[in-house]
Amino acid sequence: MLSDPRFSIAVDIFVPFHDCDPMGIVWHGNYLRYFEVAREQLLNQIGYGYRDMLASGYAWPVVDVQLKYRRSASFEQMITVNAKIVEYENRLKISYVITDSLTGNKLTKGYTIQVAVDQNTQELQFVCPDILLAKIGIQS
């Protein structure tokens, strides 16, 4: 099921000057921003972007994140952020791999975990809402 091409995306990002420290190396916190750019496009691809989430009555905060830095990205480098949905039943887990677009060398990898929170009651949902399952194609 998760091998469906809709559940993964590759996003190219040209590293701008303002993302870098004085040595021209991407500041470590910006990798999370790159994850976010890919996550937003991935969720839009399945028809459940952030506006859709809010309209469905659920907030989806990130509750866990993991990053592993292998190599640094630098100013004016073209990078590719690959994002893939790897879990969806009790939480939404998305894995990421950032590579150099030209060489394919891995720079960073990690994941984010989001959980559904009912906007009316502020209660954490221990099972993903039906709307996410419908967007993924598990339920109609």
Side-chain angles (χ1 to χ4, degrees), residues 8 14 21 26 28 34 44 59 63 72 76 78 125 131 139:
S8 63
F14 185 75
D21 64 20
V26 170
H28 66 277
Y34 301 152
N44 284 333
V63 296
S72 298
E76 295 184 330
M78 182 64 75
Q125 306 299 296
I131 184 67
Q139 297 177 343

Side-chain angles (χ1 to χ4, degrees), residues 16-50:
F17 176 76
H18 65 265
D19 281 1
C20 301
D21 64 20
M23 296 176 286
I25 303 299
V26 170
W27 178 69
H28 66 277
N30 282 321
Y31 292 92
L32 289 174
R33 215 168 35 81
Y34 301 152
F35 283 10
E36 177 67 27
V37 168
R39 180 171 60 246
E40 183 177 9
Q41 289 190 33
L42 176 60
L43 293 171
N44 284 333
Q45 182 170 279
I46 66 167
Y48 197 53
Y50 289 123

Side-chain angles (χ1 to χ4, degrees), residues 42-136:
L42 176 60
L43 293 171
N44 284 333
Q45 182 170 279
I46 66 167
Y48 197 53
Y50 289 123
R51 292 192 188 279
D52 301 305
M53 289 176 172
L54 288 174
S56 73
Y58 296 98
W60 287 82
V62 172
V63 296
D64 191 13
V65 64
Q66 187 269 334
L67 287 109
K68 172 101 173 148
Y69 302 101
R70 298 180 69 169
R71 293 187 173 146
S72 298
S74 57
F75 175 51
E76 295 184 330
Q77 183 175 15
M78 182 64 75
I79 60 173
T80 301
V81 185
N82 294 283
K84 181 178 183 178
I85 296 173
V86 294
E87 290 181 31
Y88 60 86
E89 292 169 332
N90 300 319
R91 59 191 188 169
L92 182 59
K93 183 175 182 181
I94 300 174
S95 67
Y96 309 86
V97 177
I98 299 177
T99 59
D100 178 288
S101 298
L102 297 176
T103 66
N105 289 335
K106 287 184 183 179
L107 305 175
T108 304
K109 67 179 186 172
Y111 63 79
T112 56
I113 295 175
Q114 295 170 263
V115 294
V117 175
D118 185 298
Q119 290 185 50
N120 293 324
T121 64
Q122 295 300 301
E123 291 180 2
L124 175 70
Q125 306 299 296
F126 292 102
V127 175
C128 283
D130 290 342
I131 184 67
L132 174 66
L133 301 178
K135 295 295 183 177
I136 290 176

